[in-house]
Amino acid sequence: MKYVINRLVFFFLSLWAAVTINFILPHLMPGNPAEVMIARYQGRLSPLTLKALELQFGVTTQPLWQQYFSYINNLVHGNFGLSITYYPVPVTQVIANSLPWTLGLAGTATVVAAVIGVLLGIIAAWRRGGLADSILPVVTTFTTAMPYQWLALLILYVFGFELGWFPTAHAYSATMSPAFRIAFIGNVLKHSILPAATILITALGGWLLGMRNNMINTLGEDYVVFAEAKGVKSRRLMYLYAARNALLPSLTGFGMALGFVVGGAVLVETVFSYPGVGYQLVAAVQNEDYPLMQGLFLIIAVSVLLANLIVEMLYGRLDPRVRRGGVSR
């Protein structure tokens, strides 16, 4: 119980810090959202219009502490303000429209990469010095070192432009309307293959190498050697004794990776014009859309903190030593 309480206290303190920083940063920037909006029209709008926009974007002369509590109250009620890029669409609607695309693309690719990488890492470590251990680490080290944008552009050029096997941009064809139909789902899947492959190829090596190294260390533990001496079957020894304990450090990385999924694969989504959170973040920065940037940064921070909390709880459940403070990670 003490372990759970400590984790929850740390979570809420971190959440408060993230919210506070998210509030302070825009106030350190020059100007305000209303002025950015007016600049688009080159000053052709009247001062009354500027005042109306300031009211819409929550610009006020109140003391900073009053603005802070108003900001907290708006967050509690799900009010993130209006987006400048998509004015007058609320920030929450922009995030709600883009978040499912990121979760579907980057989330699925991350889970697949983690599962395949961990399994290949187990096999490579179990058969040390064999063909798999000689080839897989070298190949995946090379693919992991590839820059996201370079690989995305290469895949896009070869399989999109030259061969024409897959679409080159967007999440679905412009001629189709979003609907829960087989034709639309198939079209979405076809559009996601190239960006998902980019994420998968570049992420696979990290999971494989991490699991392989953890597995090799675990295979040298006394309990594994003792179980092998007792005649435990190889498959049981590999998965239930060695892999189960070697998986614990990778669990933390998996939780953090899922948390950062919400941030989107910014470069990949930009190259493929995929309408996810990362693509919206780039658009918000280019258009000086402070409300949208605030909303996206907060969603990303909260998702990382939640993922970290879940991993900490699972870690404490899987390894009782963590709850007793017997080991550190």
Side-chain angles (χ1 to χ4, degrees):
M1 180 61 70
K2 183 179 179 181
Y3 175 81
V4 174
I5 293 175
N6 288 338
R7 295 299 94 197
L8 289 175
V9 170
F10 177 79
F11 169 77
F12 285 110
L13 285 176
S14 301
L15 180 61
W16 170 78
V19 169
T20 303
I21 294 173
N22 204 43
F23 167 78
I24 292 175
L25 285 180
H27 288 78
L28 300 178
M29 300 178 183
N32 59 61
E35 292 177 351
V36 174
M37 196 73 182
I38 289 295
R40 293 187 173 187
Y41 298 95
Q42 300 177 350
R44 289 175 294 175
L45 300 181
S46 66
L48 290 177
T49 304
L50 175 60
K51 185 62 179 178
L53 286 173
E54 287 179 341
L55 292 175
Q56 282 188 310
F57 286 106
V59 179
T60 178
T61 57
Q62 291 180 336
L64 192 61
W65 67 270
Q66 290 185 5
Q67 296 182 45
Y68 178 72
F69 285 108
S70 297
Y71 172 72
I72 297 295
N73 181 64
N74 289 333
L75 289 185
V76 171
H77 290 87
N79 180 14
F80 288 12
L82 300 178
S83 169
I84 296 175
T85 306
Y86 303 98
Y87 179 83
V89 179
V91 169
T92 50
Q93 184 175 336
V94 176
I95 295 176
N97 291 337
S98 58
L99 189 58
W101 295 110
T102 291
L103 293 177
L105 174 67
T108 303
T110 299
V111 172
V112 172
V115 172
I116 295 177
V118 166
L119 290 176
L120 292 178
I122 293 173
I123 295 173
W126 186 255
R127 300 174 180 176
R128 280 174 293 177
L131 185 62
D133 190 36
S134 301
I135 296 177
L136 290 177
V138 176
V139 173
T140 54
T141 299
F142 174 75
T143 57
T144 302
M146 290 182 180
Y148 268 106
Q149 70 274 21
W150 183 85
L151 182 61
L153 289 171
L154 179 63
I155 290 178
L156 182 65
Y157 176 76
V158 174
F159 296 100
F161 287 102
E162 288 294 324
L163 299 177
W165 291 354
F166 302 101
T168 58
H170 308 303
Y172 54 90
S173 300
T175 56
M176 302 195 71
S177 300
F180 193 71
R181 300 196 310 268
I182 294 178
F184 177 74
I185 295 174
N187 189 262
V188 169
L189 292 175
K190 189 174 182 179
H191 278 74
S192 67
I193 289 177
L194 292 185
T198 303
I199 299 173
L200 179 64
I201 292 172
T202 53
L204 188 63
W207 297 109
L208 187 151
L209 295 174
M211 188 61 190
R212 174 186 176 276
N213 295 336
N214 294 332
M215 184 80 170
I216 289 175
N217 291 331
T218 305
L219 288 173
E221 296 290 341
D222 293 339
Y223 63 88
V224 177
V225 177
F226 181 72
E228 186 177 10
K230 286 183 62 178
V232 176
K233 293 182 179 180
S234 297
R235 185 174 296 274
R236 180 181 177 85
L237 183 66
M238 180 172 64
Y239 289 107
L240 296 183
Y241 284 79
R244 181 178 179 181
N245 291 281
L247 187 63
L248 291 176
S250 297
L251 182 62
T252 302
F254 181 68
M256 296 301 293
L258 287 181
F260 283 111
V261 158
V262 178
V266 177
L267 296 176
V268 173
E269 290 183 358
T270 302
V271 171
F272 291 96
S273 298
Y274 203 82
V277 173
Y279 183 80
Q280 297 296 353
L281 184 58
V282 172
V285 173
Q286 291 175 340
N287 292 288
E288 299 182 56
D289 192 343
Y290 298 147
L292 182 55
M293 280 190 283
Q294 268 189 299
L296 292 173
F297 287 147
L298 185 60
I299 292 297
I300 294 170
V302 171
S303 64
V304 172
L305 290 174
L306 279 174
N308 187 62
L309 176 64
I310 294 172
V311 168
E312 291 286 355
M313 295 300 182
L314 289 175
Y315 214 104
R317 180 70 177 177
L318 295 174
D319 191 347
R321 296 174 299 172
V322 175
R323 297 196 299 269
R324 295 194 297 266
V327 295
S328 59
R329 292 180 288 110

